[in-house]
Amino acid sequence: MLDDLDRRILRHLQGNPSQSLPELADRLGLTTSRLSRKIDKLREGGILRGQRAVIDWQALGYAVEVSLRVTLDKTQSRAFDDFLEAARDIPEVIEIQTFLGQVDVRLSVIAKDMTHYQEIYRRRILTLPHIADIEALMHVARIKSDESLPI
Amino acid sequence: MLDDLDRRILRHLQGNPSQSLPELADRLGLTTSRLSRKIDKLREGGILRGQRAVIDWQALGYAVEVSLRVTLDKTQSRAFDDFLEAARDIPEVIEIQTFLGQVDVRLSVIAKDMTHYQEIYRRRILTLPHIADIEALMHVARIKSDESLPI
DNA sequence: GATGAAAAATCTGTGAC
DNA sequence: GTCACAGATTTTTCATC
């Protein structure tokens, strides 16, 4: 379903997204039109979902990131749905993942500083429904972040 | 430093990534050139770091994601550096974060299926240097993922 | 059905107002 | 802050294999 050329194209799009088609075609030894059509196919197939602007939120003044592990009160059958729905609406929550196992959900929360974080934590996080337990880890750095998928 | 218009622009660039300048300008009620210059400023300010192709790795056949919490052997002063450097080179490791506290590093690993995951885990993860302890959580879903920063 | 070359449409960036 | 234009880029068309 995905040939070798597709893989090479994806790898390049991942690394240098903002290069032009002729430029990329040149590197890959293709004509521009062939490359253009290949990319169309990848988009149609849902593999290429488009481009996204990379925004440096540290430059925006967000200096603090905290990773929260949440365990939910499983006596309530709607616990998951309720919790996720409410968590999704908090703008400072930039990541939500769910798990199989002792921990139910992981959230990444960003804030301008520790005071701001405390405020978000008390007013928005602790008021989320069905929380049984929370464990927080202060984040130091993101070393790698999705830049290089194994294609 | 960042006016209201900037914020709206960033919000749009985040949400609807692959729209063209005239299209976006229309939505925001601006002329194309004004928008173009605004975006230039954001780039100069380091807030906009460029574009990235969004690739759907589930469509690529990666069905499994596992989150690993790693504790390092802190008797070795080079433990962090050695570990991070080696982990970064594993293509299936798509995220690396470091923390302050009892846990040192979190890795996200993707694999085609459980067999594939076992292979990566044994051959690549367990052979990383200075590991004192690992805890794994099977990932179920990414509910939210960086799409909507609080701008 | 896929490919290459070139025209047509569209987009981006810049300079004048 | 707007308008208009030149250069670049993407997309479509058409002939070909």
Side-chain angles (χ1 to χ4, degrees):
Chain A
M1 175 191 137
L2 209 66
D3 60 28
D4 215 59
L5 185 53
D6 288 324
R7 272 171 233 281
R8 284 202 298 148
I9 292 170
L10 287 173
R11 234 176 282 141
H12 277 268
L13 287 179
Q14 235 187 181
N16 271 23
S18 51
Q19 61 193 332
S20 67
L21 289 187
E23 212 171 339
L24 181 58
D26 225 45
R27 261 166 214 269
L28 295 166
L30 302 176
T31 58
T32 309
S33 48
R34 189 166 167 212
L35 175 61
S36 167
R37 276 182 274 241
K38 273 280 183 190
I39 291 178
D40 278 351
K41 281 273 166 66
L42 289 170
R43 260 199 279 262
E44 279 167 32
I47 290 166
L48 252 182
R49 293 253 212 93
Q51 308 242 195
R52 171 180 303 166
V54 180
I55 294 171
D56 182 345
W57 41 266
Q58 309 214 7
L60 274 173
Y62 285 87
V64 172
E65 182 175 357
V66 178
S67 187
L68 298 175
R69 279 190 169 193
V70 182
T71 311
L72 298 175
D73 170 16
K74 262 89 74 181
T75 60
Q76 310 289 322
S77 62
R78 296 223 1 110
F80 258 94
D81 294 329
D82 289 348
F83 178 86
L84 292 177
E85 199 179 315
R88 198 198 307 248
D89 286 342
I90 304 176
E92 286 82 7
V93 171
I94 61 167
E95 252 182 54
I96 308 178
Q97 290 173 282
T98 59
F99 295 102
L100 256 172
Q102 64 279 44
V103 175
D104 297 309
V105 186
R106 193 181 72 80
L107 308 178
S108 276
V109 181
I110 61 174
K112 308 248 179 198
D113 50 44
M114 283 312 286
T115 312
H116 185 208
Y117 173 70
Q118 276 297 318
E119 201 182 296
I120 296 164
Y121 185 72
R122 288 190 200 155
R123 303 248 168 92
R124 311 278 334 238
I125 304 292
L126 287 181
T127 56
L128 288 170
H130 311 303
I131 294 178
D133 190 40
I134 297 188
E135 180 206 333
L137 280 182
M138 256 299 268
H139 180 276
V140 176
R142 273 183 191 259
I143 310 293
K144 190 173 179 177
S145 169
D146 245 16
E147 297 117 22
S148 50
L149 297 171
I151 301 172
Chain B
M1 175 193 135
L2 210 64
D3 62 29
D4 214 59
L5 185 53
D6 288 324
R7 272 171 233 281
R8 285 203 297 148
I9 292 170
L10 287 173
R11 235 178 281 140
H12 277 267
L13 287 178
Q14 239 187 178
N16 275 22
S18 49
Q19 57 194 335
S20 65
L21 289 187
E23 214 171 336
L24 181 58
D26 226 44
R27 261 167 213 268
L28 295 167
L30 303 177
T31 57
T32 310
S33 52
R34 189 170 165 210
L35 175 60
S36 167
R37 274 182 264 248
K38 274 280 186 191
I39 290 179
D40 277 352
K41 280 273 167 64
L42 289 170
R43 259 199 280 264
E44 277 168 32
I47 290 166
L48 256 179
R49 290 253 215 94
Q51 307 255 130
R52 170 177 306 168
V54 181
I55 294 170
D56 182 345
W57 42 265
Q58 308 213 8
L60 272 174
Y62 285 86
V64 173
E65 182 175 358
V66 178
S67 187
L68 298 175
R69 279 190 168 194
V70 182
T71 311
L72 298 175
D73 170 15
K74 263 89 72 182
T75 60
Q76 310 289 321
S77 63
R78 295 224 1 111
F80 258 94
D81 294 329
D82 288 349
F83 178 86
L84 293 177
E85 199 179 315
R88 197 198 308 248
D89 286 343
I90 304 176
E92 286 83 7
V93 171
I94 61 167
E95 253 182 54
I96 308 178
Q97 290 172 281
T98 58
F99 295 101
L100 255 172
Q102 66 277 45
V103 174
D104 297 308
V105 186
R106 193 180 72 81
L107 308 178
S108 275
V109 181
I110 60 173
K112 309 249 179 196
D113 50 44
M114 283 311 285
T115 312
H116 185 208
Y117 172 70
Q118 276 297 318
E119 201 181 297
I120 296 164
Y121 186 72
R122 288 189 199 156
R123 303 250 168 91
R124 312 278 333 242
I125 304 292
L126 288 181
T127 56
L128 289 170
H130 310 302
I131 294 176
D133 191 40
I134 297 188
E135 181 207 332
L137 280 182
M138 254 303 265
H139 180 276
V140 175
R142 271 184 193 258
I143 310 294
K144 190 171 178 177
S145 168
D146 243 17
E147 294 118 22
S148 50
L149 298 171
I151 300 171

